[in-house]
Amino acid sequence: MSRNILIVEDQEDNRIIMKDLLLSADYEVIEAVTGEEGVTAAETHRPDLILMDIQLPGLDGYEATRRIKDNPDLKEIPIIVVTSYALSGDDVKAFEAGCDAYIAKPFSTRELLAKIREFVP
Amino acid sequence: VVFILCTRISKPLVQLTESAKKLSRGDFSGSDDIQIRSQDEVGVLSETFREMSNALEDSYKKLEDEVKERTLDLSQALAQLEMASKHKSQFLANMSHELRTPLNAILGYTELILDKIYGDVPEKIHEVLGRLEKNGRHLLNLINDVLDISKIEAGRITLSLHDYSMQGLVQTTITAVESLAAEKNLELKATIPSNLPSVKGDEQRVAQVFMNLIGNAIKFTEEGEVKVEVAVSDGSFLVSVSDTGPGLSEDDQKRIFEEFHQVDTSSTREKGGTGLGLSIAKRIVQMHGGKIWVESNLGKGSTFWFTLPVRVDKQKEIG
């Protein structure tokens, strides 16, 4: 069974950390740097889960989430939104955009892995 | 004749008296009422009085203008000061945000190495990395607290006011710290009345206050218990968090809510405190329109109290 995870994150270090973490747990990883790339990658790769950063250049994480959830072919893909530190209201906005879960930065990699396993064991 | 003479003398004197009375009340119009017709002593007195009144009026006006000018200067200086203070807080908030990004990366990679994602880690290196992680977390907590407090001071924290359950909030907080208390064999008790009214406030921020007070109590108590009590009276919650810890000296009680005031820097550092938690708690309580204070006796434990209006519809401005 394939276990593809799409990471949409503009910061290289965060992308590497998430990628290395997921590879070590035997997931397959697709990377996107912008919101637009994220939406396109979701369409072409149909991942099993998407990790979506909020602060992205251009199309932000909320809008990218909304577009993916508006697409009937993609709306079943769980999206975990990664929000910035304790900006109150971010979680509400993330759920309004249609995400399935959110995790606040700074997250521990252990926490993130546990959250991912809830959706893709 | 006597009568006429009397009125001649007394009339201007009565006028003078009236004018003097007006003058003493700060009314300078009286001197214009004085009609001098005579060339005698009363006439001279009247003239002198008028001159004095005019001179007084002039200096009074000058004084008033000066006070106005100075008040304007002062209010401008105050506005500038407030701006500068806001800029400072804004700078701190931005800087804290910028500092966290690379620190998160450092912590992320450290965790991955510690979890052996890049392969086996020799014992010694594992131990050192553990210390690296612990210090990194301490730094991160400091930065987060500075970010919090500078955001509050820059007026950039808006309470998100919603209905929530006080029982739920206390229960969640207790659950979150239960293991910490258990590790130290401390008893953790919470008393909440079951028929609490419906609550409105910023649940996340109020939870932060509870977390801080209960967390501190557990951190500094080596044996005994930590007790949380919630009561309601007159539309306000009265919350107490008491411990059987070392207690606080009177001097410490006075300064404990100040930024970076820690009772014993070496021990608190060991315990991972930042010295900002209580300052943040104080501001959150104040933003809700409540008060926070401490009662303590050295060697006999401490009780932190705070009040919180049950329904907060509008955030309080704090200076």
Side-chain angles (χ1 to χ4, degrees):
Chain A
M1 183 183 121
S2 90
R3 300 187 311 156
N4 267 319
I5 294 182
L6 167 63
I7 301 171
V8 190
E9 164 69 76
D10 62 321
Q11 273 181 321
E12 192 187 14
D13 282 307
N14 282 342
R15 227 165 40 235
I16 295 173
I17 289 166
M18 289 198 248
K19 186 180 80 178
D20 288 353
L21 173 77
L22 294 175
L23 289 177
S24 79
D26 290 328
Y27 291 100
E28 279 168 42
V29 173
I30 310 141
E31 293 170 75
V33 178
T34 66
E36 284 86 351
E37 271 182 41
V39 177
T40 312
E43 285 162 358
T44 42
H45 296 278
R46 304 287 166 101
D48 298 295
L49 184 132
I50 300 169
L51 285 177
M52 179 76 73
D53 184 44
I54 285 303
Q55 284 173 310
L56 294 167
L59 199 66
D60 70 12
Y62 298 124
E63 192 48 39
T65 300
R66 220 167 277 131
R67 290 200 191 171
I68 293 168
K69 289 294 183 182
D70 279 347
N71 183 337
D73 295 335
L74 305 177
K75 71 177 188 349
E76 300 300 329
I77 303 173
I79 300 180
I80 300 178
V81 161
V82 185
T83 64
S84 284
Y85 163 77
L87 283 176
S88 40
D90 265 12
D91 47 340
V92 178
K93 276 207 292 208
F95 281 116
E96 272 169 8
C99 81
D100 298 84
Y102 83 97
I103 189 160
K105 273 184 202 169
F107 53 80
S108 98
T109 53
R110 293 146 210 169
E111 221 183 305
L112 179 65
L113 197 58
K115 189 64 103 188
I116 291 169
R117 285 192 169 130
E118 286 177 25
F119 293 93
V120 191
Chain B
V1 179
V2 174
F3 174 72
I4 294 171
L5 197 68
C6 282
T7 28
R8 259 221 188 143
I9 298 173
S10 68
K11 205 178 164 198
L13 282 180
V14 169
Q15 272 184 358
L16 263 180
T17 312
E18 282 307 309
S19 300
K21 274 188 191 158
K22 276 191 182 174
L23 197 64
S24 72
R25 292 195 299 265
D27 179 355
F28 296 101
S29 66
S31 62
D32 299 332
D33 302 343
I34 303 166
Q35 310 286 328
I36 338 151
R37 287 201 190 86
S38 56
Q39 300 293 313
D40 56 11
E41 286 87 346
V42 176
V44 174
L45 179 64
S46 300
E47 181 55 29
T48 312
F49 181 85
R50 220 161 64 153
E51 277 167 15
M52 182 194 76
S53 170
N54 287 342
L56 255 177
E57 186 173 6
D58 278 354
S59 59
Y60 192 77
K61 281 236 171 77
K62 228 187 247 167
L63 201 67
E64 254 185 349
D65 286 347
E66 250 172 54
V67 168
K68 264 188 206 148
E69 211 174 288
R70 292 280 186 282
T71 311
L72 191 70
D73 285 352
L74 268 176
S75 69
Q76 278 170 349
L78 188 67
Q80 278 172 357
L81 213 76
E82 274 169 4
M83 275 296 273
S85 164
K86 275 217 164 131
H87 279 308
K88 179 212 74 178
S89 304
Q90 184 71 51
F91 169 78
L92 276 175
N94 291 343
M95 191 187 68
S96 313
H97 185 79
E98 294 302 318
L99 288 175
R100 278 186 316 111
T101 310
L103 183 57
N104 282 338
I106 293 169
L107 282 169
Y109 288 122
T110 309
E111 256 183 49
L112 292 183
I113 303 170
L114 272 170
D115 289 352
K116 302 185 173 132
I117 274 160
Y118 300 114
D120 257 351
V121 183
E123 181 97 15
K124 186 68 199 165
I125 290 180
H126 198 274
E127 187 196 313
V128 175
L129 278 175
R131 287 181 177 276
L132 183 67
E133 191 190 16
K134 196 175 141 203
N135 278 285
R137 293 239 168 265
H138 184 72
L139 180 55
L140 187 63
N141 287 337
L142 269 167
I143 294 172
N144 286 341
D145 280 357
V146 169
L147 179 64
D148 253 2
I149 211 144
S150 50
K151 266 162 72 189
I152 292 173
E153 282 184 351
R156 277 182 60 209
I157 283 202
T158 321
L159 294 182
S160 156
L161 302 167
H162 296 290
D163 284 23
Y164 67 91
S165 148
M166 182 56 86
Q167 278 110 325
L169 185 151
V170 175
Q171 205 46 61
T172 313
T173 316
I174 296 284
T175 311
V177 295
E178 241 165 12
S179 60
L180 292 176
E183 267 173 38
K184 297 177 82 174
N185 277 321
L186 298 173
E187 207 178 333
L188 184 59
K189 287 191 214 157
T191 316
I192 325 162
S194 53
N195 54 341
L196 285 182
S198 92
V199 192
K200 191 174 176 189
D202 189 327
E203 182 176 11
Q204 239 183 319
R205 294 284 169 191
V206 174
Q208 200 178 342
V209 176
F210 271 95
M211 197 66 178
N212 180 276
L213 296 182
I214 303 173
N216 274 350
I218 295 174
K219 227 190 278 178
F220 296 105
T221 306
E222 292 314 322
E223 59 177 342
E225 58 174 28
V226 171
K227 233 170 27 186
V228 184
E229 283 183 77
V230 181
V232 197
S233 76
D234 284 341
S236 273
F237 287 111
L238 176 63
V239 181
S240 65
V241 177
S242 43
D243 63 54
T244 52
L248 297 161
S249 69
E250 270 186 38
D251 185 48
D252 281 329
Q253 288 175 42
K254 276 187 209 126
R255 301 186 51 206
I256 192 112
F257 293 102
E258 289 171 14
E259 287 101 355
F260 293 113
H261 180 75
Q262 290 183 323
V263 173
D264 174 354
T265 319
S266 61
S267 84
T268 38
R269 166 147 307 205
E270 193 116 307
K271 290 169 194 291
T274 62
L276 285 170
L278 284 174
S279 309
I280 294 169
K282 181 178 171 184
R283 282 170 169 77
I284 293 173
V285 168
Q286 286 176 335
M287 284 163 86
H288 280 84
K291 276 191 310 188
I292 189 166
W293 68 98
V294 64
E295 283 168 10
S296 180
N297 280 313
L298 264 182
K300 288 184 182 156
S302 311
T303 303
F304 282 84
W305 297 88
F306 70 92
T307 60
L308 200 72
V310 173
R311 296 199 67 80
V312 178
D313 290 306
K314 204 169 165 287
Q315 175 172 345
K316 286 268 182 316
E317 293 285 329
I318 56 170

